[in-house]
Amino acid sequence: MVESILIHCDVKSLELVTAAYLSRDETLIGEIKAGTDIHEANRARFDLPERRIAKIFVFRLIYGGQAYSYAHDSDFNFISKDVKYWQEVIDAFYYKYKGIRKWHEELVQQVLKTGRLVMPTGRTFVWDRLDVAKRLWFHTPKILNYPVQGTGADLVAIARVTMHRRLAKAGIKVLFISTVHDSIDIDLNPCYNIYEACKIVEQSIKDVPINFERLFGIPFDLPLSCETSFGPTLKNTISYTGQTE
């Protein structure tokens, strides 16, 4: 007899949505709203061999990746070990996503000027301005990374609290056992309706923009969704596709 059912929820494209929201890049916002397969489009645009490579490339660049790191990483240097090659790919990315380029530049300048970055949620990151000025190469990846990671974590936290309240209101007893970046894992007693629980989980993710504005008084104008699965273990889950029974 199965003692509990695991519900696993992955927020789709959390990093891209967060970066688009913070940077206000018109191209990326348009792609997200249109439902574009962004990684496949970028694979073709930047002449990369696989969608997976394009996905990792974009995430790393959003987090402050540099041409040198791509050229010396085995995930990428089978394509080219030439720093100049990867700088050209980076330049192509920034040409397409001009809003992200501008935002990245503004983040660095803000830290150099004030020593801090404040997110829309109030989350604040602090640096030693003098050390940043001396070792900009060292601090830049963190300056570009923390806003996306931190705000993304805040979005998932909103979803998690919403899930907890709605599941309790529905009389469904669960145990939240893990949150890792863009995923939430929940233990559910199999005596409860699995499909109802999954429906609540997915709707809680979709309602994050509404709750974000309610909490912080700032519109969140991009959609959020998730992929939800359930089963006795993480290895043996099946996708929830809106089933009701």
Side-chain angles (χ1 to χ4, degrees):
M1 179 180 177
V2 177
E3 296 182 356
S4 66
I5 295 293
L6 176 71
I7 297 177
H8 179 74
C9 164
D10 276 317
V11 182
K12 291 182 180 179
S13 302
L14 178 65
E15 297 93 343
L16 287 179
V17 173
T18 303
Y21 176 72
L22 294 174
S23 69
R24 307 312 302 165
D25 184 276
E26 294 180 358
T27 299
L28 186 54
I29 288 172
E31 288 177 330
I32 290 170
K33 289 185 174 181
T36 302
D37 185 339
I38 296 171
H39 301 306
E40 176 56 30
N42 284 335
R43 182 205 63 75
R45 178 74 173 261
F46 307 141
D47 193 27
L48 296 171
E50 302 174 23
R51 183 184 183 278
R52 180 186 65 86
I53 294 296
K55 180 178 180 179
I56 299 172
F57 167 80
V58 170
F59 286 160
R60 180 170 295 186
L61 191 56
I62 288 174
Y63 293 157
Q66 305 294 318
Y68 180 90
S69 64
Y70 290 108
H72 290 81
D73 188 326
S74 59
D75 283 340
F76 295 93
N77 64 15
F78 73 93
I79 301 170
S80 175
K81 296 181 180 180
D82 184 0
V83 174
K84 182 180 178 181
Y85 169 88
W86 286 108
Q87 187 58 55
E88 290 175 352
V89 179
I90 290 172
D91 291 343
F93 173 90
Y94 278 133
Y95 182 79
K96 176 182 179 182
Y97 298 110
K98 296 180 178 66
I100 291 182
R101 175 194 283 274
K102 182 172 182 290
W103 175 57
H104 278 177
E105 292 171 349
E106 289 173 347
L107 290 175
V108 173
Q109 291 305 310
Q110 183 68 22
V111 170
L112 287 170
K113 181 179 179 181
T114 68
R116 63 178 55 215
L117 296 173
V118 182
M119 300 299 100
T121 60
R123 183 188 286 265
T124 302
F125 303 105
V126 180
W127 282 267
D128 180 332
R129 290 170 56 206
L130 293 178
D131 194 52
V132 171
K134 291 178 182 177
R135 299 192 300 159
L136 187 58
W137 60 270
F138 174 79
H139 290 284
T140 294
K142 297 179 177 64
I143 293 170
L144 305 187
N145 186 353
Y146 290 0
V148 176
Q149 294 278 17
T151 304
D154 292 336
L155 296 173
V156 174
I158 293 169
R160 189 170 60 247
V161 172
T162 303
M163 287 177 201
H164 185 275
R165 291 177 175 176
R166 291 180 178 179
L167 289 165
K169 185 176 181 180
I172 301 174
K173 294 182 179 180
V174 300
L175 178 64
F176 284 75
I177 58 173
S178 175
T179 299
V180 180
H181 188 47
D182 59 357
S183 66
I184 299 173
D185 291 320
I186 304 170
D187 264 355
L188 172 73
N189 189 308
C191 72
Y192 296 105
N193 188 315
I194 297 169
Y195 304 121
E196 183 182 359
C198 288
K199 181 179 179 181
I200 290 172
V201 166
E202 294 208 337
Q203 192 60 51
S204 297
I205 297 294
K206 292 178 181 178
D207 288 344
V208 165
I210 297 171
N211 289 323
F212 184 96
E213 183 170 1
R214 180 176 60 82
L215 288 167
F216 302 109
I218 305 169
F220 193 98
D221 56 355
L222 291 171
L224 279 176
S225 61
C226 66
E227 294 177 347
T228 306
S229 58
F230 60 90
T233 66
L234 187 59
K235 183 180 179 180
N236 296 293
T237 59
I238 60 173
S239 295
Y240 168 72
T241 56
Q243 304 101 311
T244 57
E245 60 180 36

